[in-house]
Amino acid sequence: MFVQQLEPVADSLGLSALVASLPLVTVLVLLGAVRMKAHRAGLIGLAVAVLVGWLAFGMPVCQTLSAGAQGVLFGLFPIMWIVVNALWVYRMTVRTQHFDILRRSFGRVSDDPRIQALVIAFCFGALLEALAGFGAPVAICSVMLVALGFDPVKAAVVSLVANTAPVAFGAMGTPVVTLAQVTGLPLDDVATVVGRQTPLLALVVPLILVFLVDGRRGLRETWGPALVCGVAFAVAQFAASNYVSAQLADIAAALVGAGALIAVPGARRPADEPVRAAVLTGARSEDLDQEDPRREVLRAYAPYALIVAVFSVAQIPPVKELLAEATRVFDWPFLDVAGPDGEPVGANVFTLPLLGTGGTLVLLAGLVTAVVLGVRAGTAAREWAATVHELRYAILTVTSVLALAYVMNLSGQAATIGRSVAAAGAGLAFLSPVLGWFGVAVSGSDTSANALFGALQVSAAGESGLSPDLLAAANSSGGVLGKMISPQNLTIACAAVGLAGREGDLLRKVLPWSLGLLLVMCLIVMAQSTAVLGWMLP
């Protein structure tokens, strides 16, 4: 058995934390400064994590490699499993030209590109996050914006920044469900507090989006619709997460936000030509004015309605129990790790949900979609294979970074970083969102970050006298702001809009927004830990 050590470097927590952060720093520097492609940066970061785990933290090579292998499997299933199947559904809509119909339907809502960015990147993106998550919203929304005439870089940046507020409740509430499982806190308690943090982001993200699209002019001319959309989204997300269901929070927020935006008279007003000329600098599709039969419009929306229906049915208790019977649980080979307290870690046992996972449900919805759209079985299979080929570098990036995260977690590197942050004492409430942010920046998943640091946040809260619910929720709420800078999301965004190899360019554009919003979230959590905003907590 390998027992994790929190201070293996010179018996110093600070020095150990600095050494433990080397894999994270390596990946971010290679992406941002060296401009290396994400899959190569991920592989090099993984190599650094393995060396640090072996040489500095004393984890046997066999167990270090086994930990990395478990991360690879987790990256493939369920993460890339849901991404591949979600994008497969998208490819079928492209194949049958129903994606063009959907795009034209969105385009007819408003010809103002600033409003289009809100409808597509913020509202529709939130719906996709609710249903699929794990990169699918960024990929699909980026493609839609490019088709409407957005510059590819701007389309990717807008989609990345928009993919923040809904992340904590994405993939049918998977991140908060995972957070509740690893911390032992009631799901309703965790979801309630997260639902009183992330809606505050929703108030400002739409304003940031119109600024990204058209600068100060965009903010000056469309702040009203943006604010209405943000308020409606925030209220719906708060109400659903606190009083209905965490799994339905983003679906409600996306639909209510879109409805409120469309209801604003100014949102449907034609945009001035100078605005369109300045913003739509890319190649605009020439068929946007084409009228489509109502039947075909309904078929274009059908894939997403089917995903909603399948996920809704899967939440029915008898169906959920039936799907859970296909879950396989087994001891992970060549892995025997104990935490600093000597207790075996959960990763020694691996759980493989074959049917109940989001990717399998999206696959089922995709099979029905193929029938509804009239896609032949052979064509659907070829499109699935083409999707895998298209995402090959993204798959390599995801698996390498997840392997890095697992090595860091199981060798004790992650716990050392977390304990270093927890030693901040009175400043813990301010720094707690940073842990989630780091976790998502590395793994690309709020779910993974919650699994990585959730229990530590609760432990640190107990030591400092702060609310366990508050710090656990802060891990997830801070994590959503790391999504836009994660190598996986950057790679998926680049692949979607034809910017392969330019992940570093996107990173430099979104990093200031990620850090700025993280600071806001840190201030919110700190204030919620005191009488200033303590009244917000249940």
Side-chain angles (χ1 to χ4, degrees), residues 466-507:
L466 295 172
S467 165
D469 293 336
L470 174 62
L471 294 198
N475 194 83
S476 190
S477 299
V480 307
L481 301 170
K483 194 76 178 284
M484 68 179 82
I485 65 168
S486 69
Q488 298 95 306
N489 253 20
L490 293 171
T491 300
I492 290 170
C494 286
V497 299
L499 297 174
R502 295 184 58 184
E503 291 88 354
D505 293 339
L506 292 186
L507 175 62

Side-chain angles (χ1 to χ4, degrees), residues 208-348:
I208 294 174
L209 295 181
V210 296
F211 176 80
L212 287 172
V213 172
D214 194 29
R216 294 180 180 178
R217 177 178 59 185
L219 190 59
R220 183 176 64 252
E221 295 181 359
T222 55
W223 67 268
L227 187 60
V228 169
C229 178
V231 170
F233 186 103
V235 170
Q237 190 182 61
F238 161 75
S241 61
N242 276 256
Y243 305 112
V244 182
S245 166
Q247 287 85 351
L248 300 177
D250 280 348
I251 293 178
L255 297 178
V256 172
L261 176 62
I262 295 172
V264 177
R268 301 183 68 88
R269 186 180 303 124
D272 296 335
E273 192 55 37
V275 172
R276 292 180 54 78
V279 175
L280 302 180
T281 55
R284 181 175 180 269
S285 297
E286 298 178 354
D287 63 347
L288 292 177
D289 297 327
Q290 177 181 332
E291 291 293 332
D292 299 300
R294 180 177 295 273
R295 179 173 179 271
E296 295 304 316
V297 173
L298 292 176
R299 291 177 72 188
Y301 281 92
Y304 306 101
L306 285 169
I307 294 176
V308 172
V310 169
F311 272 89
S312 299
V313 171
Q315 298 305 310
I316 299 174
V319 177
K320 195 171 185 177
E321 293 175 3
L322 181 63
L323 295 175
E325 292 180 0
T327 299
R328 297 292 178 263
V329 180
F330 56 91
D331 292 331
W332 188 258
F334 308 111
L335 194 66
D336 188 10
V337 179
D341 56 0
E343 294 294 322
V345 300
N348 291 332

Side-chain angles (χ1 to χ4, degrees), residues 93-113:
T93 65
V94 172
R95 176 90 180 194
T96 59
Q97 299 184 342
H98 285 88
F99 177 75
D100 294 330
I101 296 173
L102 184 66
R103 173 173 49 81
R104 288 193 290 269
S105 176
F106 282 135
R108 282 191 287 271
V109 171
S110 173
D111 71 346
D112 189 328

Side-chain angles (χ1 to χ4, degrees), residues 353-402:
L354 298 175
L355 297 181
T357 187
T360 303
L361 297 178
V362 174
L363 176 64
L364 176 60
L367 295 174
V368 181
T369 294
V371 175
V372 172
L373 299 184
V375 181
R376 295 178 180 272
T379 302
R382 286 191 294 272
E383 288 295 334
W384 193 91
T387 303
V388 174
H389 182 266
E390 178 184 348
L391 291 174
R392 61 192 184 281
Y393 291 120
I395 292 172
L396 182 57
T397 299
V398 169
T399 52
S400 62
V401 173
L402 259 296

